[in-house]
Amino acid sequence: MSDLFRDVSPEDADLQPIIDGLFGEYAARYGDYFSKDAEIELTEWYLAPQGLFIVLERDGEIIATGAYKPFDEQTAEIKRIWTNKTLRQQGLAARVVQELERRAVLAGYSGIYLTTGFRQPEAVKLYLSQGYAPQFDLDRDPEEYSQPPFDGRLRFTKTLVREAFSKSA
């Protein structure tokens, strides 16, 4: 059993059922809550040199995904973190996040920005465990962030330190 990261286009045919499933999970949690301001995303945002979309494969099967796109000139925005439902709680998402961070440093980024939804406590736990700084009050009921003046997104940031990745690059 060997795991391997592979760069892909977000339009890769093998990826489409996974992306559809990911959005299905969001719909199950949130209904149409986020549909009023659904993001328009362009494929080129996720292509080198400014972006990246990766899959983690095990024996030829995609078991986890992740991506980043430019947020600003110094900051990458992480998106599309997903792990196969049968393999969750095994550290795969953390491995994907770490690989995205490593690759973002190599691409010249010095920071990461990301959002997760107010009904994704497992994602909040993941990002906190990876050293991300919450830009919201952790002591507040996350459901409060679904009400005005909030937009339902829980924001995180992290400064990337090139030296931390020099051993693994």
Side-chain angles (χ1 to χ4, degrees), residues 50-126:
Q50 75 276 357
L52 176 70
F53 206 115
I54 59 173
V55 296
L56 181 60
E57 294 181 333
R58 179 174 292 160
D59 301 324
E61 178 186 346
I62 297 172
I63 59 172
T65 69
Y68 69 72
K69 65 180 184 176
F71 183 72
D72 61 34
E73 285 186 22
Q74 293 82 36
T75 311
E77 180 178 2
I78 287 183
K79 304 287 282 184
R80 307 298 174 258
I81 301 298
W82 170 87
T83 302
N84 179 307
K85 278 185 181 183
T86 65
L87 300 172
R88 291 184 179 163
Q89 302 297 311
Q90 296 180 25
L92 297 174
R95 287 180 55 201
V96 169
V97 169
Q98 292 161 10
E99 179 67 8
L100 290 170
E101 290 175 0
R102 185 183 78 79
R103 298 284 299 273
V105 164
L106 292 174
Y109 291 108
S110 59
I112 297 275
Y113 169 84
L114 64 87
T115 65
T116 193
F118 61 94
R119 291 186 182 147
Q120 291 175 262
E122 66 283 354
V124 170
K125 182 178 174 185
L126 167 68

